[in-house]
């Protein structure tokens, strides 16, 4: 599992966690998330590929991928 | 009424001496307005990164001095690549203050005096630090947006090539443009910058300057403006990855405060720093349904200006050139020229034009609606 935060006011989930919600400024609660998410889009990086991955609750993060991903594929933040 | 009394633009391309750029733009705008420099009561300077590209400091006062306006109140506006249009918004607010009847809005950027790698690094300063550290660049972020768009709407890379081809074809007829015609083969064979984007899908580094005199009377009215920002990082956004929410919000704000409707607009000059943005922006601005922008802008057979509204008849940022801090003003000058029937690629009977400018990755978007006065 990976560390994240959830906003009790608007429900926004962020990973890595934030003290204050970036949607509404409320104080957030700690949350843990499955490290596997869905590839929203990707491009080529300096080495390999870099994918924008959506985790549970809508949190988005960048994941380095050694081979070309596909949109909709499941990819793990730990990979 | 807030109006554009005169306008002027330098040639765009390689002229990295900021002094000559500034003087040329000022001379052209004042001459067009029929005014002497003494008539200018205030100066708004649009410049995104003068310190980094040229080592000029105190950009507002430096520019005022070069323009022959030492002693005149001067403000520098920096919203990145939308600085030019943000400066128009600032001038609009300043106009009408005691003693402020004519405001000169002057944008300049001299980008080619540093190596390309250094210029890319300077422009990456527009991004969130953690995304830079994750290996992203502005072209890589736009490549991600573009891939999401092509995938969502089942469009092809070859259609983007045709948008680039059209932009260069229009620029060929525009004497101030940085580039002329290129072939579809040259576009398709250019090197990959950030997959799927190739070099010929991207706007160049450009030196250039543009200026307007904003006053309460003039041949082209600034009928309405709108602006919006967004989260700095792409990962902080929760909107669809192929959309720019800030463009949607800025356009809504602009049209909410005027009787004019989108169907009244004859010409759009939008922020095509990458060719995919020509389609995506047209959709986010609300002119065509999502997924149909390429039908509008991907090189119509007979007439490169395409269906109404005509999009980027100047050749756009892509082929006319993209001097970042001056770009919003270069776009505005093109729209003024269209409204006054003196543009290089004239759109028939154009009287209403929309300018759209982005200040970063889908951020700090400014929109202006211009209307010729009868
Ligand atoms: Zn919240």
């Amino acid at each position: 599992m990976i560390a994240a935060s959830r906003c009790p006011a608007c429900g926004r989930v962020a990973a890595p966690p934030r003290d204050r919600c970036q949607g509404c400024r409320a104080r957030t609660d700690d949350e843990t998330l499955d490290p596997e998410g869905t590839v929203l889009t990707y491009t080529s990086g300096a080495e390999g590929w870099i994918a924008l991955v959506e985790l549970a609750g809508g949190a988005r993060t960048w994941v380095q991928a050694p081979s070309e991903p596909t949109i909709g594929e499941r990819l793990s933040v730990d990979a | 009424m807030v109006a554009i009394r005169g306008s002027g633009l330098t040639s765009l391309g390689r002229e990295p001496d900021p002094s000559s750029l500034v003087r040329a733009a000022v001379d052209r705008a004042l001459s067009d307005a029929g005014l002497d420099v003494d008539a200018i009561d205030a100066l708004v300077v649009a410049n995104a990164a003068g310190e980094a590209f040229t080592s000029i400091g105190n950009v507002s006062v430096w520019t005022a001095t070069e323009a022959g306006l030492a002693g005149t109140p001067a403000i520098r506006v920096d919203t990145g690549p939308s600085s030019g249009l943000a400066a128009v918004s600032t001038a609009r607010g300043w106009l009408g203050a005691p003693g402020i009847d004519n405001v000169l809005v002057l944008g300049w950027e001299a980008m080619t005096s540093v190596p390309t790698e250094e210029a890319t690094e300077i422009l990456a300063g527009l991004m969130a630090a953690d995304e830079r550290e994750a290996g992203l660049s502005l072209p890589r972020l736009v490549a991600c947006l573009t891939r999401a768009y092509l995938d969502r709407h089942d469009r092809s890379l070859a259609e983007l090539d045709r948008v680039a081809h059209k932009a260069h074809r229009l620029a060929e007829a525009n004497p101030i443009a940085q580039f002329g015609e290129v072939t579809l083969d040259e576009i398709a064979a250019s090197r990959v910058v950030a997959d799927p984007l190739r070099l010929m899908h991207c706007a160049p580094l450009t030196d250039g300057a543009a200026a307007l005199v904003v006053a309460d009377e003039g041949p082209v009215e600034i009928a309405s403006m709108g602006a919006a920002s967004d989260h700095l990082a792409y990962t902080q956004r929760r909107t669809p990855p192929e959309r720019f929410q800030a463009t949607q919000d800025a356009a809504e704000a602009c049209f909410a405060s005027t009787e004019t409707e989108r169907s009244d607009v004859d010409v759009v000059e939008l922020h095509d720093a990458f060719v995919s943005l020509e389609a995506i922006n047209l959709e986010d601005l609300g002119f065509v349904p999502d997924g149909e922008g390429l039908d509008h802008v991907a090189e119509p057979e007979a007439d490169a200006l395409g269906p109404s509204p005509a999009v980027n008849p100047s050749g756009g940022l892509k082929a006319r050139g993209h001097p970042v801090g001056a770009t919003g003003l270069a776009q505005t000058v093109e729209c003024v020229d269209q409204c006054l029937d003196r543009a290089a690629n004239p759109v028939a009977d154009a009287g209403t034009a929309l300018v759209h400018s982005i200040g970063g990755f889908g951020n700090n978007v400014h929109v202006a609606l211009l209307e010729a006065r009868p």
Side-chain angles (χ1 to χ4, degrees), chain B residues 255-292:
Chain B
F255 281 104
S257 57
T258 175
E259 303 278 291
T260 304
E261 295 179 7
R262 287 172 178 78
S263 57
D264 299 320
V265 174
D266 305 302
V267 184
V268 177
E269 273 282 324
L270 54 72
H271 193 98
D272 63 329
F274 301 85
V275 288
S276 49
L277 295 184
E278 196 165 327
I280 293 167
N281 294 334
L282 195 67
E283 297 168 15
D284 282 334
L285 288 166
F287 285 101
V288 295
D290 287 0
E292 295 180 18

Side-chain angles (χ1 to χ4, degrees), chain B:
Chain B
M1 171 168 109
V2 178
I4 295 168
R5 190 166 176 177
S7 63
L9 173 63
T10 65
S11 282
L12 303 186
R14 264 180 197 276
E15 173 44 89
D17 173 25
S19 298
S20 58
L21 291 172
V22 163
R23 288 176 197 159
V26 172
D27 287 349
R28 285 169 202 181
L30 287 176
S31 158
D32 187 45
L35 292 174
D36 187 79
V37 73
D38 297 341
I40 299 301
D41 305 308
L43 172 67
V44 183
V45 179
N47 177 273
E51 295 88 344
F53 282 120
T54 68
S55 80
I56 287 169
N58 206 339
V59 167
S60 57
V61 172
W62 180 87
T63 306
T65 305
E66 291 298 314
L69 288 167
T72 303
I75 295 175
R76 182 261 191 97
V77 170
D78 167 17
T79 60
S82 64
S83 298
L85 212 51
V88 173
S89 181
T90 304
R92 193 167 170 249
W94 203 351
L95 192 73
I100 308 292
D101 297 323
N102 290 299
V103 181
L104 185 70
V105 186
L106 171 55
W108 64 270
E109 208 77 60
M111 306 172 72
T112 70
S113 51
V114 301
T116 300
E117 299 71 32
E118 192 178 334
T120 304
E121 192 64 28
I122 292 168
L123 295 172
L126 291 161
M127 297 169 53
D130 58 346
E131 296 198 318
R132 282 202 307 271
E133 285 154 18
L136 278 306
S137 60
L138 285 174
R140 284 179 184 147
L141 289 175
V142 178
C144 285
L145 177 95
T146 302
R147 187 187 303 283
Y149 177 83
L150 296 176
D151 179 78
R152 171 87 64 177
H153 296 295
D154 196 23
R155 310 300 305 222
S156 76
L157 202 55
E159 292 179 288
L160 297 187
D161 293 348
R162 282 164 47 213
V163 179
H165 191 245
K166 180 212 67 166
H168 280 264
R169 190 169 148 205
L170 288 165
E172 176 77 34
N174 187 349
I176 61 90
Q178 187 163 359
F179 296 120
E181 258 190 299
V182 293
T183 66
L184 277 169
D185 287 344
E186 286 173 291
I187 295 163
S190 61
R191 75 178 165 85
V192 175
V193 171
D195 198 276
L197 292 176
R198 292 178 177 277
L199 183 66
M200 291 299 293
H201 297 139
C202 309
L205 299 170
T206 305
D207 304 321
L212 308 174
V213 178
V214 174
D216 63 0
E217 287 293 334
V220 177
E221 181 180 1
I222 303 170
S224 181
M225 294 190 77
S229 65
D230 201 345
H231 289 280
L232 181 56
Y234 201 20
T235 52
Q236 292 168 339
R237 300 178 193 174
R238 297 293 179 265
T239 43
E242 73 280 11
R243 303 257 66 101
F244 281 157
Q245 184 67 40
T247 291
Q248 297 179 17
D249 293 347
E252 284 307 314
C254 182
F255 281 104
S257 57
T258 175
E259 303 278 291
T260 304
E261 295 179 7
R262 287 172 178 78
S263 57
D264 299 320
V265 174
D266 305 302
V267 184
V268 177
E269 273 282 324
L270 54 72
H271 193 98
D272 63 329
F274 301 85
V275 288
S276 49
L277 295 184
E278 196 165 327
I280 293 167
N281 294 334
L282 195 67
E283 297 168 15
D284 282 334
L285 288 166
F287 285 101
V288 295
D290 287 0
E292 295 180 18
L294 284 167
D295 296 329
H296 196 100
V297 299
E299 187 153 68
E301 291 293 323
D303 179 4
L305 290 172
S308 186
V311 179
N312 291 13
S314 65
L317 282 56
K318 167 71 195 87
R320 179 199 55 219
H322 183 23
V324 284
T327 278
L329 290 167
Q331 295 172 293
T332 305
V333 172
E334 168 69 17
C335 286
V336 168
D337 288 347
Q338 290 289 352
C339 287
L340 300 180
D341 196 24
R342 62 186 193 190
N345 291 301
V347 175
D349 302 321
T352 303
L354 183 125
V355 190
H356 162 262
S357 196
I358 307 179
F361 179 68
N363 222 320
N364 224 327
V365 173
H366 289 257
V367 171
L369 191 68
L370 308 184
E371 294 176 11
R373 298 322 304 167

Side-chain angles (χ1 to χ4, degrees), chain A residues 7 9-12 21 23-26:
Chain A
C7 174
C10 75
R12 183 184 173 95
C21 175
C24 73
R25 286 181 37 83

